[in-house]
Amino acid sequence: MSTASETVAFAWTAENEAEAQRHIAKYPSGKQQSAVMPLLHLAQKQNNGHVTQEIMEFIADYLGMPAIRVMEVATFYTMYNHKPVGKHHVQVCTTTPCWLRGSDGIVSACKKRLGVEMGGTTADGMFTLSEVECAGACVNAPVVAIGDDYYEDLTPESMTALLDALAKGEDVKPGPQNGRQTSAPEGGATTLKDFIAKA
Amino acid sequence: MPKLTIDGQEVEVAPGTTVLQACEEVGVEIPRFCYHERLSIAGNCRMCLVDMERSPKPIASCAMPVGEGMVIHTNTERVKKAREGVMEFLLINHPLDCPICDQGGECDLQDQAMAFGRSGNRYHENKRAVEDKYMGPLVETAMTRCIHCQRCVRFTEEVGGVEDMGALWRGEHTEITTYLDKVIESELSGNVIDLCPVGALTSKPYSFTARSWELKKTESVDVMDAVGSNIRVDARGNAVMRILPRLHEDVNEEWISDTTRFAYDGLKLRRLDTPYVKKGKSLEEAAWGDAFAAIKKKLKDVKGSEIAAVIGDLADMESMVALKDLLGGLGSKRIECRQDGTALEAGVRASYIMNTGIAGIEEADFLLLVGTNPRFEAPLVNARIRKATRKNGLKVANIGSAEDLTYKVDEFGDDATLLKKVLGGRHELSKALKAAAKPMIIVGQGALRRADGAQVLKAAHDIAEKYCVKEGWNGFNVLHTAAARVGGLDLGLTAKGGIEAIKADAEAGKLKVVFLLGADEFDTSALKDTFVVYLGTHGDEGVKNADVILPGAAYTEKSGTYVNTEGRVQRTAKAVFAPGDAREDWTILRALADVLEVKLGYNNLGELRARLVKLAPLAATLDTLVPAEWADFGAEGDVAEGGFGPAIGNFYLTNPVLRASKIMAECVEIREGNAEEATGTHG
Ligand code: SF4
Ligand code: FES
Ligand code: FES
């Protein structure tokens, strides 16, 4: 089924092979197909952020299941990408809580800074911008996921700064961008203050 | 047994029944799209919502098992509203293009929208559109109409046994497709057309050719293989427009194979529609009288011993009887129905039928295949085996060439001598057969066609006697590929030496006249110098060396008796008239008998059938399985080493109707192309 002869056949790196086996070992023997999702994810990572038909067929073979069933899973979940993405995949949450907290502003800041529309990748291949549904961190809305990390409590300014830093290859700190400690109240604790003071 | 109340009626049903099935039992109709009694439960369309007391919201009745004391309502205001709601959502993304849809008039969505939907539409936004998919030459797609019930996906996976179809993406973007837009690699693929409750999957060959309500429907029986699938022939005027399955739990359930469904264009192509007589080197059109006169002239100084006849694979019993009687009147008894040279003998009926029956497969717990590939020889028998492997854990073992039969098979190699070892009692298979409560063995024509076919048959008999024939259970089965074969054997139409002797005697000049009743499956070049009368439907192998051609009627054009591989007697019905000057076969033989001054003793079909029943009493037992008495058969002797050949050539080309069909030719091209591609890249 390999269409283009120039594509190198996909194969696990030694490290990922071990990781794949670790996932498979989580399921009873004969039920190795249950590992299809973590394996797709692993392969996507190894392939710089997207899965291909070849990868899906590789995993189908690897798990002993029909290719169409792997493809069903890989297309059902939106976190598998079917087209190449930039080095940083900027996934802006625009679901209601984030939207109420100003995700529109985040979206326009991203568009402006990166010069691409939703779904677009910058010419230098550094960034891909996309819109996602609730990232599950509404408490710190608005939220953007980049790669494996979440960046929270964003403003258009902090968003732009974040992208600037990433573009320069600087280290950035994941989590709330407004100084908040994890999901504690903004501006510090509001209860048990005495307790904290004594401690 | 749980008791429940449905709309005020109390019912008691078997445990594990679903609410929907319980409703059906008391005659309450529940609308549904995704539910199908022969497929797994998906519960994804929500059309079957009903009210259950003490449940805060309506339940999906297809997926809810009954419980003791349940109180179900199907006619409340809330159920009505729920159905209207589901219907409205389903129609949001449905194009409502019924006027240009082939399903129109026989569409579940259309019918249920009328019965259970609200009138009018509140959705004014854009509808989604989905690109059509390619699924091969048989299935046409209009995927915008799909409602994602996934019946097609479940059918191909569960019944067909091929993992070719799936649902990609999700929610509003869901698309049903075959993997990489390839053809469905199943011999049963056409059934998705019937299963699709909307017009998303329709018949490609039938596309835009007719409306369901203008068709005349005739209930009949198929002859493309020896299963005898029950079919409905839909015709408009004198043309067969399509063929659909008819429910028969014991034979084809509600499926038919692709050859059964799509053979019909072959009924219109390459047809013999007028008699021909050979003048010099070429065949010329002739009048009936001239054709008969030519035969009479030839027969004038021919002795009975110089005459023989060969019965084709599609012949009905009535024509066989007429031909037998005609030959008898001419002084010959040499009439042969085994044109493939199989070693089966008439006489012991148990030796040549499927004693267990097709439905019996579901009772068996061990199955040994000998020289057969049921997937191609009888797709519906194969579907039944697959069903039994999935449902009852039937174990299947094979002696013969290893093929993909869509279920797990333990392969023991392609060597006939294995049979003797199994008989020895030490072999792994002997143990498995012995351990099984209801073991069966299916012997294919590939096994019986060898030079030592009679010895193979004997070995199979002995194995069956040792392990498979018990009180109330006969596990010995012969799988036929020709619809006419069991009927022919029931009539005792075998000649000493079989087809090979006929060929040899013809070549040696010992035979002067040979009648072919639609016999197209053997090489007729041996009959080059013999006077050949071909009575059949198509310009196929049989006419190549014919001197007189008499145009007969195909299975859709006559009422004929056929006996399927189980020994079940069934009848085809006349859906259309034979083309041009062609006539029903027995009437031709009756007229010819007059010319030849032979008295047949019957003047109409009723009288002929009375004669048929006299010759083969079982022909009177319509659609019943009469247990055959077990006896000895086959011939003692050694079985030679070596494998079994295939029983049939290409699945799509096993008889003259199929070979004339353009649809079948396309199937061959596409599936062979795929096979080549597969070996090209993988091998
Ligand atoms: S194509 Fe037809 S059968 Fe298949 S999911 Fe769609 S509506 Fe159901
Ligand atoms: S809505 Fe954005 S994280 Fe939940
Ligand atoms: S028929 Fe019950 S959900 Fe579809």
Side-chain angles (χ1 to χ4, degrees), chain B residues 482-519:
Chain B
R485 190 64 42 81
V486 177
L489 290 167
D490 276 354
L491 283 168
L493 304 183
T494 55
K496 207 154 156 278
I499 189 78
E500 289 310 318
I502 291 180
K503 283 202 266 185
D505 285 357
E507 272 182 325
K510 285 193 229 154
L511 274 177
K512 297 267 153 54
V513 177
V514 172
F515 286 87
L516 300 180
L517 184 60

Side-chain angles (χ1 to χ4, degrees), chain A residues 1 53 57 66 69 72 75-76, chain B residues 157 163 166-167 169-170 179:
Chain A
M1 216 359 76
Q53 184 196 321
E57 282 173 7
R69 301 286 163 257
E72 282 181 329
T75 53
F76 184 87
Chain B
E157 182 184 341
E163 305 262 5
W169 312 102
R170 67 147 86 171
Y179 189 63

Side-chain angles (χ1 to χ4, degrees), chain A residues 1-2 53 56-57 66-69 71-78 82, chain B residues 153 157 163-170 177-180 182 677 681-682:
Chain A
M1 216 359 76
S2 50
Q53 184 196 321
M56 292 186 273
E57 282 173 7
I68 183 86
R69 301 286 163 257
M71 200 182 216
E72 282 181 329
V73 172
T75 53
F76 184 87
Y77 293 101
T78 54
H82 292 267
Chain B
V153 178
E157 182 184 341
E163 305 262 5
D164 285 344
M165 296 189 79
L168 301 187
W169 312 102
R170 67 147 86 171
T177 181
T178 50
Y179 189 63
L180 307 179
K182 289 209 299 200
E677 189 184 301
T681 46
H682 297 300

Side-chain angles (χ1 to χ4, degrees), chain B residues 297-566:
Chain B
K297 188 163 149 230
K298 176 72 195 179
L299 281 171
K300 213 150 100 215
D301 33 46
V302 171
K303 291 198 288 284
S305 60
E306 293 168 330
I307 304 172
V310 181
I311 307 286
D313 287 355
L314 306 182
D316 55 306
M317 287 180 95
E318 286 80 356
S319 333
M320 291 188 225
V321 168
L323 184 56
K324 177 188 158 82
D325 288 345
L326 176 65
L327 239 64
L330 298 171
S332 168
K333 282 200 158 60
R334 195 167 187 184
I335 172 163
E336 176 57 64
C337 72
R338 302 161 302 176
Q339 51 170 335
D340 58 354
T342 158
L344 294 167
E345 294 292 340
V348 182
R349 198 167 195 245
S351 74
Y352 59 80
I353 63 168
M354 204 171 161
N355 292 289
T356 314
I358 295 173
I361 295 171
E362 288 185 50
E363 282 175 50
D365 51 357
F366 185 82
L367 167 61
L368 174 61
L369 300 172
V370 178
T372 179
N373 177 345
R375 176 166 180 183
F376 294 123
E377 289 164 30
L380 287 148
V381 170
N382 202 54
R384 202 61 92 125
I385 299 175
R386 180 175 158 80
K387 183 177 174 195
T389 59
R390 283 168 60 88
K391 234 180 62 184
N392 312 335
L394 171 71
K395 296 259 171 312
V396 185
N398 181 32
I399 298 180
S401 85
E403 311 280 347
D404 175 11
L405 298 183
T406 72
Y407 40 83
K408 189 177 159 285
V409 179
D410 292 325
E411 300 291 347
F412 284 86
D414 191 7
D415 181 5
T417 55
L418 278 170
L419 292 173
K420 292 280 186 187
K421 289 194 191 125
V422 176
L423 199 53
R426 288 248 164 78
H427 195 267
E428 201 183 318
L429 278 170
S430 328
K431 292 184 187 133
L433 283 164
K434 192 156 179 215
K438 291 186 168 177
M440 52 187 290
I441 169 169
I442 298 185
V443 185
Q445 300 305 308
L448 303 172
R449 209 174 284 161
R450 294 172 23 138
D452 58 358
Q455 284 75 20
V456 170
L457 183 65
K458 172 73 180 158
H461 163 271
D462 292 348
I463 294 175
E465 184 152 286
K466 193 159 172 189
Y467 304 108
C468 309
V469 183
K470 310 183 177 184
E471 182 64 38
W473 177 258
N474 187 341
F476 179 80
N477 299 286
V478 171
L479 184 61
H480 286 274
T481 54
R485 190 64 42 81
V486 177
L489 290 167
D490 276 354
L491 283 168
L493 304 183
T494 55
K496 207 154 156 278
I499 189 78
E500 289 310 318
I502 291 180
K503 283 202 266 185
D505 285 357
E507 272 182 325
K510 285 193 229 154
L511 274 177
K512 297 267 153 54
V513 177
V514 172
F515 286 87
L516 300 180
L517 184 60
D520 292 295
E521 311 306 323
F522 73 100
D523 183 5
T524 56
S525 57
L527 309 179
K528 239 181 4 265
D529 302 321
T530 316
F531 187 85
V532 174
V533 180
Y534 179 84
L535 166 50
T537 53
H538 287 75
D540 203 82
E541 173 69 26
V543 302
K544 280 191 197 154
N545 294 292
D547 295 276
V548 175
I549 295 175
L550 307 174
Y555 66 111
T556 48
E557 297 152 4
K558 62 186 167 194
S559 168
T561 307
Y562 290 85
V563 189
N564 82 350
T565 190
E566 309 168 283

Side-chain angles (χ1 to χ4, degrees), chain B residues 633-644:
Chain B
F633 49 80
E636 287 295 349
D638 280 342
V639 170
E641 223 169 289
F644 305 119

Side-chain angles (χ1 to χ4, degrees), chain B residues 143 146-152 176 195-198 200-201:
Chain B
M143 295 322 281
C146 171
I147 58 166
H148 310 130
C149 69
Q150 307 228 13
R151 278 184 184 184
C152 53
I176 297 288
L195 280 171
C196 184
V198 301
L201 307 180

